[in-house]
Amino acid sequence: MYKLDRLLITDLTVEHLDTPLGLDIACPRFSWKLRCQRENTVQSSYRLLITAGEEIAADTGRMEDSQSIEVSVPDFIARPMTCYQVRLEVTDNYGRTAQAHSRFETGRMGVPFRSSWVEPEQEPTPSSMGSAREGAEAADIACRDENGERTFAEFRPAQYVRIPFRIDRAIRRARVYATAHGLYRLSVNGRRPDDRELAPENTACHKLLQYQTYDVTALLRDGGNVLGVILADGWWAGRVGTTGDCCQYGDTTALLLDMDIEYMDGTRETVTGEQGVSSTGPIIFSDLFVGEKYDATRERPGWDCPGFDDSGWRPVVMKLYDKSHLVGQFALPVRPIRIFRPEAIFTAPNGDVILDAGQNFAGATEFTVTAPAGVCIKLEHFEVLDRDGNYFNSILNTNKEQTEIYITRAGRQTYRPAFTYHGFRYVRITGWPGMPAVEDFRMIVLASDMEDVGTFHTSDPRLNQLQSNIWWSQVSNTVSIPTDCPQREKAGWTGDIMAYAPTLCFNRAAGPFLTGWMNNVRAEQLESGAVPMIVPYLKAYATFLRDQLGADTSCGWGDAVIMVPYAVYRAYGDRRILEENYDAMLRWMDYIDSRAKNCHPEGYDTWDEARRARSRWLWNTDYHFGDWLIPSMVLGNPDGNAMGSTALATMHIVAPAYYAFSARNMAEIAGILGHAEDAARFAEIYRNIRRAFIAEYVHEDGTMDADFQGIYVIALQMGLATDEQRPKMAARLAQMIERNNNCLDTGFLSVLFLMDVLCDNGMTDLAYKLLFQTVCPSWLYEVEKGATTMWESWGAVDEDGVVSTYSYNHYAFGCVGDWMYRHIGGLQMVEPGYKKFRVAPALDCGLTYARTSRETPCGRASVEWELVDGKAYVRVEVPVNTTAEICLPGMACRTVGSGRYSFAVGRG
Ligand code: BGC
């Protein structure tokens, strides 16, 4: 076969981003991939040259080094608001060279905005905080018409800001730097500079507010120009979270905007938001959870273009709001990542007209309609049909309508909401003139943009559907931050991402996204070192959780501060995320240590010396969610109390176990970062916890009082058993699974380890039984019930098709995705970033073929295997600059360099 002998550089990135604009990082890192078909190709040297115009900003010279992931350039410190060009030259072990170019532009990096914050004159949102939930409910009840229909009278209109200015010379470049209290959308002379949505996105806005950078050069023209900005409530003032409370950060929207223009003649000018005038427009209100009301008869064509009569508009008001917490947006923005036609529109048995997108997802509905003026169309978004095929509202609590109300103008018109998104598969349509058709609609999938990096395909379509469901739940829950669900809460529950991070990192290139979220985790970490259960830690949640549970954190949730950076490090070789978060991790560990040391459980005073002494190493107090949502305790019992009982039944054994887990991870992380003393200290802490745990909770025969599958899984995973107890514990776990009809019974904090624990303890067959199980609870039960995303609870649709009020889009139980890639596909990371990986596919799992690939930081790695006539044929692709250890049955493990390899072996 002809082999391409040339060496090519692909994907030269800066901070893992392609030609980023507005990067607020003084010492950015560069990464690249090499491509070449010649086997065993290794990079032998690189040279990075960074220039700013004519000036050489940095030159590494020739570096004899194989590193191609996150390469820093010593002595290079980027200046603010500067364009840099990057040139890379690489040489390989065969003496071939390759070149590549890229560029990036820094953000403000602390350069103050010239503009003040400005506010349109507006009525503040009536706050329901203080009285917390009752307030929201009271407001909800007050604003209903005589038929009990909600009027939304308490909602406020979006604000429209128009900033006119003149250009009279040729422009070299123009940048807009902008952010808002609330959400904003920018246009320049009537055109949007990009397709981002929901800027400035979801951050701990009072501590860390992102500004966005736009290249608007091509949108400006000679003479009159206008910047248009629409402002809406968003996370700042809108109704959010489980309680639906508003005004988490403030009750008015505001804008901060500088436009920097650099002219060809070298002069510069800044246009600011202070020059703006404001008014209201067609968006009557727009709320992230409730939805948007849009009156097209109130459109004012040309409002964001020159020549518009703005005599009735009022000057914006300058405000002295804080600007010290501004940071450039780090990860790629939220944008439409897919647009598709719905599958069907049908009339339900009760006469409702319902659109079926065919896929549950997070995003919005766009439609085109021809109508006379004043027709009121209503779109109610929801996730499941009831057993009879009618509309069903699965979302509990107030302010979660997920509804658009659109009033037509005359003629043909297209509408898509601007400042809201929903979690849904179905839309109930009322008021449409005639019968709507699928061609009238487009489903807009919104998510933080990131590259898909993993693929998985097998001979069992049900497993493929499961991976697809996992992918969709991931995409639906990576809208700006990692969330639990896209409909009921849209909240950054830390435990969900703790469990799911490895799968997230396999599916998509999530490094910048999670790095950005970790900035919020650090910002929200409490004085005590506790890491909140939710990040950003909205006031409504803090009030609610302290009131209901007396807690800000929980084991397994707070541990995200360690697990998430560690998952990113393993997947992408990103050391900096460990460095950046190391102090926060230490503070979390100190927090747990102080709780273990200073807080004592009930009865402590009656304990003997030995028990008290070991209690010092056990986090056996405080509220925890424990092994949340253990199926046998919640199935058929979907109220909050059942969930609470899973917490109560397991919290005081799960917390010490997770303490051990985090101590062990910290020993490893400290070692990676070269903090030898810390590494030794955490290893010692781990040993102490282990000893205490075994003495306190594990019986001689390997059983435990908390006799749940998940507790055995956790103890086994965390090494919390003696060598003698371990097999007994494993046997007890096996027995429990078998007695449970070969079904899992694991909750949030154990399911992520379940399959590995079974495989590591000689029970791989049992793992396959669970994987292929179709009785509830199991992964394929959901698939066979027609799921297109992962459900919050395995039995959300019961055997008889009865649906319940759970979320149908929760990624947490999708954490099995990572195991499927690693075990079934056989693609296993050995050195971070897959610099070295192992190929060990599960040829005996019952499938006839599986194909797995991953775009690693060094390029595409893949494993494809197929069984034919009693033999297994395995094809492996190893990217340049990496090595793979091939471990196939009947063959000694061998290590190979880059290239494509084929093997034929017995089935094992
Ligand atoms: C969320 C979860 C979250 C949990 C805490 C739920 O309401 O949806 O996914 O982790 O609360 O136990």
Side-chain angles (χ1 to χ4, degrees):
M1 192 178 72
Y2 172 75
K3 286 195 175 177
L4 178 73
D5 195 40
R6 268 181 60 206
L7 180 71
L8 292 174
I9 301 174
T10 59
D11 300 323
L12 170 56
T13 57
V14 188
E15 285 300 325
H16 300 286
L17 302 168
D18 183 20
T19 62
L21 180 67
L23 200 65
D24 255 9
I25 295 178
C27 307
R29 299 158 303 167
F30 303 87
S31 305
W32 56 89
K33 294 173 187 166
L34 298 175
R35 261 200 8 225
C36 171
Q37 289 185 1
R38 187 150 166 197
E39 276 161 22
N40 299 311
T41 301
V42 181
Q43 172 181 300
S44 52
S45 73
Y46 70 84
R47 178 181 174 189
L48 272 168
L49 181 70
I50 304 173
T51 53
E54 302 297 300
E55 172 210 346
I56 296 184
D59 183 354
T60 61
R62 187 183 159 105
M63 304 290 289
E64 309 290 335
D65 196 333
S66 69
Q67 199 194 346
S68 61
I69 310 174
E70 305 194 338
V71 177
S72 313
V73 175
D75 305 328
F76 173 61
I77 299 191
R79 291 193 302 267
M81 297 153 89
T82 307
C83 297
Y84 289 98
Q85 292 74 42
V86 187
R87 276 174 54 195
L88 168 69
E89 182 166 302
V90 165
T91 311
D92 72 9
N93 51 328
Y94 298 111
R96 295 166 303 183
T97 57
Q99 284 88 22
H101 300 257
S102 187
R103 60 177 198 284
F104 66 99
E105 187 178 311
T106 47
R108 305 185 71 89
M109 299 171 76
V111 171
F113 276 73
R114 185 156 308 169
S115 184
S116 309
W117 278 100
V118 296
E119 266 189 14
E121 275 184 20
Q122 62 197 291
E123 284 298 317
T125 285
S127 169
S128 62
M129 285 301 301
S131 57
R133 294 202 304 153
E134 294 76 18
E137 275 156 23
D140 174 20
I141 293 159
C143 302
R144 289 187 181 269
D145 64 17
E146 59 281 4
N147 303 320
E149 287 275 317
R150 207 170 166 187
T151 60
F152 302 103
E154 76 277 32
F155 285 57
R156 316 178 302 150
Q159 301 294 325
Y160 290 68
V161 181
R162 181 181 146 77
I163 306 168
F165 58 97
R166 290 194 68 77
I167 301 271
D168 54 10
R169 280 163 289 158
I171 291 174
R172 176 169 296 136
R173 62 177 193 145
R175 301 286 184 264
V176 168
Y177 303 95
T179 188
H181 290 169
L183 298 175
Y184 76 95
R185 176 177 277 186
L186 173 71
S187 55
V188 183
N189 296 324
R191 284 171 60 196
R192 290 173 64 187
D194 61 20
D195 62 351
R196 78 177 63 219
E197 300 282 345
L198 308 177
E201 302 203 0
N202 189 0
T203 61
C205 329
H206 54 322
K207 298 176 179 163
L208 207 64
L209 183 61
Q210 297 191 134
Y211 68 84
Q212 287 67 43
T213 304
Y214 304 85
D215 179 356
V216 297
T217 319
L219 299 176
L220 299 180
R221 48 171 104 124
D222 260 1
N225 288 267
V226 172
L227 297 178
V229 177
I230 313 175
L231 288 165
D233 288 349
W235 288 279
W236 184 269
R239 292 133 187 93
V240 294
T242 197
T243 59
D245 282 301
C246 64
C247 303
Q248 299 301 296
Y249 301 100
D251 58 7
T252 48
T253 51
L255 170 71
L256 179 63
L257 181 145
D258 269 15
M259 178 169 69
D260 278 32
I261 308 172
E262 190 184 324
Y263 293 102
M264 283 295 189
D265 63 11
T267 56
R268 305 180 84 111
E269 190 184 357
T270 305
V271 172
T272 75
E274 294 171 12
Q275 294 158 231
V277 289
S278 78
S279 182
T280 55
I283 299 182
I284 308 301
F285 68 79
S286 194
D287 183 274
L288 279 163
F289 285 64
V290 171
E292 189 164 296
K293 180 170 182 184
Y294 188 95
D295 182 350
T297 62
R298 290 171 51 95
E299 282 177 357
R300 295 160 190 206
W303 72 272
D304 52 355
C305 293
F308 175 80
D309 174 14
D310 60 11
S311 47
W313 292 44
R314 305 169 77 98
V316 294
V317 182
M318 285 193 262
K319 293 282 177 179
L320 288 173
Y321 296 140
D322 190 15
K323 293 194 224 166
S324 65
H325 57 326
L326 298 172
V327 287
Q329 171 149 352
F330 185 61
L332 287 174
V334 173
R335 53 165 63 119
I337 64 153
R338 260 187 213 186
I339 298 181
F340 64 96
R341 287 246 184 259
E343 210 169 81
I345 294 182
F346 61 92
T347 305
N350 66 2
D352 284 348
V353 174
I354 291 177
L355 171 153
D356 177 5
Q359 173 64 54
N360 199 11
F361 70 102
T365 305
E366 180 179 281
F367 63 80
T368 301
V369 67
T370 304
V375 175
C376 181
I377 296 172
K378 191 154 128 187
L379 303 183
E380 292 163 276
H381 298 77
F382 64 104
E383 287 190 293
V384 276
L385 298 171
D386 70 11
R387 193 165 54 159
D388 303 326
N390 291 318
Y391 169 91
F392 179 78
N393 178 16
S394 63
I395 313 170
L396 294 170
N397 286 350
T398 188
N399 282 332
K400 310 206 184 306
E401 274 78 358
Q402 301 212 110
T403 295
E404 263 73 80
I405 301 168
Y406 180 82
I407 298 157
T408 56
R409 59 180 151 79
R412 186 177 154 85
Q413 53 217 289
T414 295
Y415 167 74
R416 183 205 292 190
F419 298 110
T420 188
Y421 77 93
H422 312 306
F424 69 105
R425 170 175 169 167
Y426 300 97
V427 188
R428 176 160 68 179
I429 305 169
T430 35
W432 192 272
M435 183 69 182
V438 287
E439 295 73 35
D440 300 327
F441 293 86
R442 281 158 301 283
M443 315 320 293
I444 316 292
V445 181
L446 292 177
S448 290
D449 199 6
M450 36 191 138
E451 188 193 348
D452 282 317
V453 292
T455 66
F456 180 84
H457 183 80
T458 73
S459 53
D460 189 333
R462 297 170 310 167
L463 289 191
N464 304 341
Q465 183 65 44
L466 172 61
Q467 275 293 12
S468 163
N469 295 359
I470 293 170
W471 185 91
W472 277 102
S473 278
Q474 164 160 339
V475 164
S476 310
N477 283 298
T478 46
V479 180
S480 186
I481 58 158
T483 58
D484 57 337
C485 52
Q487 27 23 36
R488 187 184 67 219
E489 303 191 39
K490 298 183 173 61
W493 283 97
T494 47
D496 303 47
I497 186 62
M498 189 288 300
Y500 186 71
T503 306
L504 184 108
C505 292
F506 204 115
N507 279 331
R508 312 195 83 202
F513 172 80
L514 290 174
T515 302
W517 181 70
M518 285 305 302
N519 295 339
N520 290 284
V521 173
R522 291 197 305 283
E524 295 284 44
Q525 188 168 23
L526 305 178
E527 258 321 284
S528 62
V531 174
M533 299 173 196
I534 298 147
V535 172
Y537 198 28
L538 302 172
K539 265 198 284 185
Y541 273 111
T543 313
F544 173 63
L545 292 170
R546 284 174 196 154
D547 177 40
Q548 300 280 309
L549 311 174
D552 291 293
T553 190
S554 158
C555 79
W557 272 251
D559 293 297
V561 71
I562 297 170
M563 284 286 277
V564 171
Y566 205 16
V568 171
Y569 168 75
R570 289 173 199 229
Y572 313 115
D574 180 351
R575 215 181 124 93
R576 191 182 283 178
I577 194 168
L578 295 180
E579 289 164 358
E580 274 177 359
N581 293 289
Y582 190 64
D583 281 345
M585 297 178 193
L586 291 178
R587 290 183 54 214
W588 167 244
M589 292 306 286
D590 282 350
Y591 169 76
I592 304 177
D593 185 63
S594 75
R595 302 304 296 173
K597 193 159 133 194
N598 303 323
C599 307
H600 306 306
E602 229 173 277
Y604 179 84
D605 292 342
T606 63
W607 293 359
D608 65 22
E609 262 321 282
R611 193 168 181 203
R612 283 196 206 183
R614 65 176 178 254
S615 178
R616 187 261 167 272
W617 295 109
L618 300 173
W619 191 9
N620 49 15
T621 56
D622 300 329
Y623 181 84
H624 303 278
F625 290 117
D627 199 16
W628 184 243
L629 288 178
I630 294 178
S632 58
M633 298 180 80
V634 275
L635 284 178
N637 198 8
D639 71 26
N641 290 341
M643 299 188 202
S645 28
T646 66
L648 288 174
T650 56
M651 61 169 88
H652 289 136
I653 187 159
V654 174
Y658 260 76
Y659 182 24
F661 181 50
S662 276
R664 197 170 67 183
N665 285 328
M666 281 305 285
E668 290 170 17
I669 292 169
I672 292 161
L673 297 181
H675 304 305
E677 265 179 37
D678 284 354
R681 181 163 65 88
F682 284 116
E684 178 64 21
I685 292 176
Y686 170 74
R687 283 193 292 274
N688 289 332
I689 303 169
R690 180 176 182 273
R691 220 174 293 124
F693 186 99
I694 293 171
E696 185 68 24
Y697 304 113
V698 188
H699 305 303
E700 214 39 43
D701 64 356
T703 60
M704 288 181 281
D705 289 341
D707 198 30
F708 297 101
Q709 285 186 22
I711 302 304
Y712 292 100
V713 169
I714 288 172
L716 286 164
Q717 172 71 21
M718 290 154 195
L720 303 174
T722 61
D723 289 349
E724 293 74 46
Q725 287 163 342
R726 193 175 177 87
K728 297 179 193 161
M729 220 180 228
R732 174 69 188 141
L733 172 62
Q735 188 189 51
M736 292 180 89
I737 295 174
E738 278 153 12
R739 287 189 183 162
N740 196 37
N741 201 13
N742 286 324
C743 283
L744 56 77
D745 195 28
T746 40
F748 255 52
L749 294 191
S750 58
V751 71
L752 64 157
F753 307 121
L754 171 63
M755 299 303 238
D756 282 313
V757 160
L758 293 175
C759 295
D760 294 347
N761 288 280
M763 299 182 284
T764 306
D765 284 352
L766 202 47
Y768 297 155
K769 281 188 188 153
L770 294 183
L771 181 67
F772 292 107
Q773 177 61 271
T774 54
V775 168
C776 184
S778 68
W779 286 286
L780 293 189
Y781 170 79
E782 294 186 14
V783 169
E784 295 204 338
K785 283 280 172 209
T788 60
T789 39
M790 301 304 300
W791 302 341
E792 179 179 22
S793 173
W794 305 94
V797 178
D798 80 7
E799 297 282 357
D800 303 324
V802 175
V803 294
S804 42
T805 49
Y806 281 108
S807 148
Y808 288 80
N809 207 348
H810 248 68
Y811 56 40
F813 292 144
C815 56
V816 71
D818 173 59
W819 178 83
M820 289 203 284
Y821 285 121
R822 284 186 288 111
H823 189 86
I824 307 269
L827 195 54
Q828 302 166 4
M829 183 279 295
V830 175
E831 282 178 20
Y834 293 75
K835 191 79 181 135
K836 182 170 181 188
F837 58 97
R838 183 176 301 117
V839 172
L843 306 176
D844 59 347
C845 68
L847 297 168
T848 54
Y849 71 81
R851 299 185 204 121
T852 308
S853 75
R854 174 174 169 115
E855 191 60 41
T856 76
C858 288
R860 187 172 190 273
S862 70
V863 182
E864 297 184 358
W865 61 266
E866 187 172 9
L867 305 183
V868 184
D869 299 336
K871 274 201 132 173
Y873 296 88
V874 184
R875 282 193 302 277
V876 179
E877 187 179 353
V878 183
V880 171
N881 226 11
T882 68
T883 51
E885 198 184 0
I886 316 278
C887 298
L888 297 173
M891 205 183 96
C893 281
R894 57 181 270 210
T895 300
V896 298
S898 70
R900 288 163 191 263
Y901 304 88
S902 297
F903 306 89
V905 292
R907 294 167 59 153

